[in-house]
């Protein structure tokens, strides 16, 4: 019994030691290689909005205009509502004079459920790349102002059954096969876009049309069967008109 207790305590101690070492040596932190990222990555520094989110297959590029902001905390909301740090890479900062620098580990770190970025200046533009998957895009509004979301090529919004855009008061524009969604002023907590592939609408319309056609055919067949049953009843003499039945003499005397 004592041996089992000792083994249990040893296992707990090993787990605690492992967790301590992970925290001590920066486990889960961003590497300099990740923050440097792909040197060929280009960001849209001259966008007309305060925030530009360019969504592509597998990732998105974000550019934020910062004004008097010494820190920004990035996080994602999972399906169950918990918050997790955004796995950023290729992090850049652009000074007002146009100089672009890479932000390393001294400016980017994970703290609990957030990715905390401390820019080298309070004013400027912050850009990063982060992973993305699926046909929906959601991001908290870390800064207020105008927002633009650029959807992947071939994706669309507009059909209320297949897409959703929040908040309202937005405009859409199709340029070079990509939909640009612009909000002039966002004060909501999140920007949410659920979109669909352009050909999905054709497939969806075809399915609906096919369903309606099948319903019409089914209704016609049902009515045909009803009429056939009526004819069979008539042939069998089951539908007899008794309105002039000789036994129907009307009400008893004195009650007519």
């Amino acid at each position: 019994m004592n041996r089992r207790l000792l083994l249990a305590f040893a296992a707990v101690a090993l787990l605690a030691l492992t967790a301590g070492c992970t925290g001590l040596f920066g486990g889960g932190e961003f590497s300099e290689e990740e923050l440097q990222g792909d040197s060929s990555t280009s960001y849209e520094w001259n966008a007309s909005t305060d925030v530009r989110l360019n969504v592509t297959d597998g990732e998105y590029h974000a550019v934020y205009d910062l004004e008097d902001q010494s820190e920004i905390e990035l996080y994602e909301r999972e399906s169950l509502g918990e918050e997790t740090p955004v796995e950023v890479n290729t992090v850049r900062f652009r000074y007002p004079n146009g100089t672009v620098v890479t932000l390393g580990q001294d400016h980017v770190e994970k703290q609990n459920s957030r990715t905390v970025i401390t820019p080298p200046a309070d004013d400027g533009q912050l850009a990063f790349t982060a992973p993305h998957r699926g046909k929906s895009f959601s991001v908290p509004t870390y800064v207020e102002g105008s927002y633009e979301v650029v959807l992947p090529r071939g994706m669309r919004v507009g059909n209320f059954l297949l897409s959703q855009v929040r908040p309202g008061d937005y405009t859409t524009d199709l340029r070079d096969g990509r939909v640009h969604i612009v909000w002039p002023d966002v004060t909501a907590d999140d920007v949410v876009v659920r979109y669909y592939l352009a050909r999905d609408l054709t497939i969806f319309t075809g399915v609906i049309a096919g369903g309606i056609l099948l319903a019409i055919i089914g209704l016609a067949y049902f009515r045909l069967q009803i009429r056939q049953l009526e004819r069979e009843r008539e042939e069998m003499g089951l539908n007899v008109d008794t309105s002039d039945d000789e036994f129907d003499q009307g009400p008893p005397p004195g009650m007519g």
Side-chain angles (χ1 to χ4, degrees):
M1 183 67 178
N2 291 335
R3 181 177 297 178
R4 292 181 179 178
L5 287 175
L6 288 174
L7 289 174
F9 281 124
V12 172
L14 181 60
L15 288 174
L17 180 61
T18 303
C21 291
T22 300
L24 179 62
F25 293 105
E29 294 298 324
F30 299 104
S31 67
E32 292 292 350
E33 290 76 12
E34 289 175 321
L35 299 177
Q36 175 65 39
D38 187 356
S39 59
S40 64
T41 299
S42 61
Y43 292 110
E44 185 59 54
W45 299 110
N46 298 318
S48 59
T49 53
D50 298 315
V51 178
R52 191 175 196 269
L53 303 163
N54 183 8
V55 185
T56 59
D57 294 332
E59 64 181 18
Y60 69 93
H61 294 175
V63 179
Y64 288 86
D65 282 351
L66 303 181
E67 184 176 351
D68 294 329
Q69 193 160 351
S70 60
E71 183 180 271
I72 183 170
E73 298 182 0
L74 309 177
Y75 61 93
E76 297 174 329
R77 291 191 178 93
E78 299 295 330
S79 57
L80 297 179
E82 68 273 14
E83 296 177 355
T84 59
V86 177
E87 298 294 333
V88 299
N89 64 80
T90 319
V91 184
R92 305 285 188 265
F93 183 81
R94 185 174 186 259
Y95 288 92
N97 63 5
T99 302
V100 178
V101 297
T102 297
L103 301 188
Q105 291 179 329
D106 52 339
H107 290 283
V108 185
E109 62 178 343
K110 292 181 182 178
Q111 295 181 7
N112 298 323
S113 60
R114 307 292 176 96
T115 293
V116 180
I117 299 180
T118 306
D122 292 348
D123 295 336
Q125 291 176 289
L126 172 68
F128 60 85
T129 300
H132 167 263
R133 63 182 183 275
K135 293 182 181 179
S136 63
F137 179 76
S138 174
V139 62
T141 51
Y142 307 117
V143 300
E144 294 184 355
S146 56
Y147 275 67
E148 179 182 16
V149 173
V150 184
L151 300 184
R153 188 174 303 277
M155 298 299 176
R156 300 288 186 270
V157 294
N159 185 291
F160 72 96
L161 294 176
L162 300 178
S163 65
Q164 181 184 37
V165 180
R166 297 200 320 262
D169 190 25
Y170 62 89
T171 59
T172 60
D173 182 25
L174 181 63
R175 282 177 269 164
D176 298 326
R178 303 186 67 185
V179 173
H180 295 242
I181 308 173
V182 176
W183 293 264
D185 185 29
V186 175
T187 57
D189 294 334
D190 300 90
V191 167
V192 179
V193 181
R194 181 166 57 89
Y195 48 89
Y196 56 88
L197 193 60
R199 68 168 179 263
D200 290 348
L201 182 59
T202 303
I203 296 173
F204 179 75
T205 303
V207 170
I208 294 298
I212 294 175
L213 179 60
L214 288 176
I216 293 174
I217 294 174
L219 179 60
Y221 178 77
F222 176 75
R223 296 188 64 178
L224 180 63
Q225 292 296 310
I226 292 296
R227 291 179 180 176
Q228 184 175 350
L229 287 174
E230 290 176 348
R231 286 196 299 268
E232 291 177 354
R233 287 172 61 88
E234 291 176 356
E235 292 174 357
M236 296 175 62
L238 296 178
N239 289 345
V240 180
D241 186 3
T242 59
S243 59
D244 296 328
D245 195 328
E246 60 179 347
F247 296 103
D248 185 7
Q249 302 296 330
M255 298 184 64

